[in-house]
């Protein structure tokens, strides 16, 4: 029986990230930037108002506000400065405006600052006058002004290679005039189900038939991991037809996932059918559920190909442990594994000695202490490990070491976060 670590070493050694591609910035969200985006022009490109108000020379309003009285027992005098308003500059204005001493110009947020103005008075510090404005508060030079290059200067790196492009990065790319950016693309992943008992969900299953759950569930898991997914659906168990389907996906994919019966002669038939495409090993991995699984590199390009068990829960857990890290590495992620935390159990946990357990659980947090608590859903020992409804309720996987067959209430265990719901 091969250890989880040994199998993961084999799997991750086969990871090949797709070549970076240049995409429109609107399509880059969630992807890893593959270049240093260097700014060619300052941002902002001109001095502009950072707030609605009045552009002024700070020296002209220096006296506005409270002035201490010569008499210590008398209240200070509130000085109001009045300036004529000689114009208005809206955002987007292309007409140069010059401010003379002892004048004010009304400006909108983002408007070019008039020549000689060195500050903007917020509207709330004035009476909002149109022909003349009463000012009750002084400003310093540079107050409420965005100077040329305050954000980035020419030659600055706006977005660094290895940065995940989120909404802020998309906005910054747009701000510096980039329409396209080089990114690590999503790896293409194909999902195939194999089984004579399977029917698609748009058909009513007959006697002995069941819906194809795996191709839908694994396609969703692959999308959650960040892959560009092609759900092939159900493939025939007949050797030549199965081989043709898989060969067609090897041409278009960086990763192929096949769900099929892996016990007894069924696994031998699948392995024989795929043998002309390359060697794929079906082994017992020291984990549960999903201990029986296969992996190999098929086709001319040696595409990483997984054989996962037909049981939906086992398939999803095996995907989480083995396939998801490969997807994340192909995306260029520095930390391809899920975040692991320590949590205290709220009940006993039974596991299988000799195999690392990945058990469905609900992770909670104590409101008073902030401590993480976890409760296992179902039990592999009671035969409920196959129930998909339990996995749907889980928000984590509880990891139980292979040398442990029982965890006591109150013991600490490792917990893998799954995608958060709600």
């Amino acid at each position: 029986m091969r250890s989880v670590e040994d199998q993961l070493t084999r799997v991750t050694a086969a990871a090949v990230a797709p070549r970076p591609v240049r995409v429109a910035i609107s399509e880059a969200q969630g992807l890893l930037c593959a270049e240093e985006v260097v700014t060619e022009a300052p941002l902002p490109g001109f001095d502009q108002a950072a707030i609605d108000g009045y552009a002024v020379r700070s020296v002209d309003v220096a006296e506005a506000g409270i002035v201490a009285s010569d008499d210590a027992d008398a209240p200070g005098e509130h000085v109001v400065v009045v300036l004529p308003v000689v114009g208005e500059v809206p955002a987007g204005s292309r007409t140069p405006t010059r401010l003379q001493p002892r004048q004010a110009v009304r400006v909108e947020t983002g408007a070019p600052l008039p020549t000689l103005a060195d500050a903007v008075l917020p509207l709330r510090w004035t009476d909002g006058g149109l022909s003349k404005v009463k000012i009750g508060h002084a400003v310093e030079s540079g107050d409420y002004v965005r100077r040329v290059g305050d954000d980035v200067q020419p030659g600055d790196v706006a977005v660094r290679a290895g940065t995940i492009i989120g909404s802020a990065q998309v906005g910054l790319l747009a701000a510096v005039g980039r329409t396209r950016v080089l990114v690590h693309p999503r790896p293409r992943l194909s999902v195939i189900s194999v089984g004579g008992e399977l029917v698609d969900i748009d058909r009513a299953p007959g006697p002995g038939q069941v819906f194809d759950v795996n191709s839908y569930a694994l396609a969703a898991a692959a999308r959650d991991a960040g892959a560009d997914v092609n759900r092939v659906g159900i493939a025939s168990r007949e050797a030549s037809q199965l081989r043709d389907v898989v060969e067609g996906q090897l041409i278009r994919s960086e990763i192929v996932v096949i769900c099929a019966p892996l016990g007894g002669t069924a696994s031998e038939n699948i392995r024989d059918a795929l043998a002309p495409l390359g060697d794929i090993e079906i082994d017992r991995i020291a984990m549960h559920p999903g201990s029986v699984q296969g992996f190999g590199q098929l086709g001319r390009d040696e595409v990483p190909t997984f054989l996962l068990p037909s049981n939906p829960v086992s398939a999803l857990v095996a995907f989480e442990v083995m396939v998801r890290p490969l997807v994340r590495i192909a995306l260029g992620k520095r930390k391809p594994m899920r975040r692991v935390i320590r949590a205290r159990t709220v009940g006993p946990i039974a596991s299988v000695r000799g195999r690392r357990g990945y058990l469905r659980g609900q992770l909670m947090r104590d409101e008073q202490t902030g401590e993480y608590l976890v409760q296992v859903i179902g039990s592999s020992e009671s035969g409920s490990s196959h129930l998909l409804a339990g996995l749907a309720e889980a928000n984590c996987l509880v990891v139980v070491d292979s040398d442990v067959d029982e965890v006591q209430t109150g013991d600490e265990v490792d917990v893998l976060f799954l995608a958060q719901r709600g």
Side-chain angles (χ1 to χ4, degrees):
M1 187 177 293
R2 180 174 287 154
S3 71
V4 172
E5 288 81 5
D6 286 348
Q7 185 73 352
L8 271 173
T9 298
R10 292 182 65 225
V11 167
T12 55
V16 178
R19 290 182 178 179
V21 296
R22 199 167 295 279
V23 301
I25 62 172
S26 58
E27 299 173 2
Q29 187 170 1
L31 299 178
L32 212 65
C33 187
E35 65 171 321
E36 299 280 293
V37 179
V38 178
T39 308
E40 297 180 358
L43 179 67
F46 55 90
D47 292 345
Q48 58 183 240
I51 194 171
D52 288 356
Y54 296 88
V56 295
R57 297 193 320 156
S58 57
V59 67
D60 291 337
V61 297
E63 296 179 357
I66 301 297
V67 177
S69 172
D70 292 336
D71 185 348
D73 296 326
E77 179 186 2
H78 186 82
V79 176
V80 174
V81 174
V82 180
L83 297 178
V85 179
V86 297
E88 183 173 354
V89 182
S93 173
R94 296 184 179 182
T95 304
T97 304
R98 185 178 179 86
L99 184 71
Q100 299 295 333
R102 304 290 301 175
Q103 291 181 345
V105 172
R106 185 143 181 173
V107 290
E108 292 181 351
T109 302
L113 206 66
T115 304
L116 296 187
D118 65 346
V120 174
L121 273 163
L123 282 175
R124 66 179 183 274
W125 292 351
T126 73
D127 67 345
L130 298 178
S131 59
K132 60 182 180 179
V133 58
K134 294 180 179 180
I135 300 163
H137 198 297
V139 287
E140 300 290 336
S141 179
D143 283 356
Y144 303 102
V145 174
R146 299 188 188 121
R147 295 293 186 190
V148 172
D150 269 355
D151 207 340
V152 290
Q153 294 281 354
D156 285 351
V157 178
V159 180
R160 297 193 176 278
T163 300
I164 297 174
I165 297 178
S167 55
Q169 286 73 30
V170 170
L172 186 53
L173 289 167
V176 299
R178 290 292 294 267
T179 60
R180 304 179 73 81
V181 62
L182 195 68
V183 297
H184 294 284
R186 303 182 190 280
R188 297 168 299 175
L189 185 149
S190 294
V191 181
I192 304 169
S193 287
V194 179
E197 78 283 10
L198 301 177
V199 295
D200 208 345
I201 58 176
D202 59 355
R203 293 178 52 195
Q209 294 183 318
V210 295
F211 287 127
D212 169 26
V213 172
N214 284 329
S215 71
Y216 287 95
L218 293 175
R223 291 189 193 96
D224 176 70
D228 179 9
V229 180
N230 175 39
R231 191 191 67 83
V232 179
I234 304 167
S236 171
R237 296 175 68 170
E238 198 279 321
S240 63
Q241 294 184 33
L242 175 59
R243 184 164 55 249
D244 288 345
V245 170
V246 173
E247 189 171 19
Q249 298 309 309
L250 294 174
I251 299 171
R252 60 176 297 173
S253 307
E254 278 81 41
I255 303 170
V256 173
V257 176
I258 305 168
C259 263
L262 297 182
T265 58
S267 62
E268 294 178 8
N269 293 338
I270 292 174
R271 185 167 49 195
D272 291 345
L274 300 180
L277 303 176
D279 184 32
I280 190 163
E281 294 184 15
I282 300 176
D283 300 298
R284 281 194 175 274
I285 310 302
M287 61 178 284
H288 76 96
S291 62
V292 181
Q293 51 186 273
F295 177 74
Q297 292 174 262
L298 304 185
R300 182 185 61 188
D301 296 327
E302 298 186 334
V303 175
T305 302
F306 295 85
L307 284 179
L308 301 186
S310 56
N311 173 271
V313 172
S314 297
L316 280 169
V317 172
F319 182 98
E320 175 68 31
V321 176
M322 296 295 171
V323 186
R324 191 178 193 276
L326 194 67
V327 174
R328 306 297 284 176
I329 291 171
L331 278 167
K333 304 292 185 182
R334 296 189 184 95
K335 297 180 179 180
M337 305 302 182
R338 294 273 195 189
R339 180 187 171 197
V340 178
I341 66 162
R342 297 286 286 176
R344 195 172 300 281
T345 62
V346 298
I349 301 173
S351 188
V352 179
R353 184 176 289 273
R355 302 182 192 177
R356 180 179 299 171
Y358 292 92
L359 310 179
R360 299 153 291 165
Q362 286 184 331
L363 187 66
M364 302 160 282
R365 201 161 194 178
D366 189 298
E367 292 183 357
Q368 294 181 340
T369 66
E371 182 181 32
Y372 283 108
L373 305 173
V374 69
Q375 180 175 11
V376 166
I377 301 171
S379 167
S380 59
E381 293 296 289
S382 66
S384 63
S385 64
H386 67 286
L387 298 179
L388 193 60
L391 188 59
E393 289 297 315
N395 62 5
C396 68
L397 290 178
V398 180
V399 183
V400 181
D401 291 339
S402 59
D403 59 352
V404 175
D405 57 13
E406 187 173 357
V407 179
Q408 301 298 323
T409 301
D411 287 350
E412 283 194 339
V413 291
D414 285 340
V415 174
L416 299 178
F417 276 117
L418 298 180
Q420 299 298 305
R421 303 192 307 272

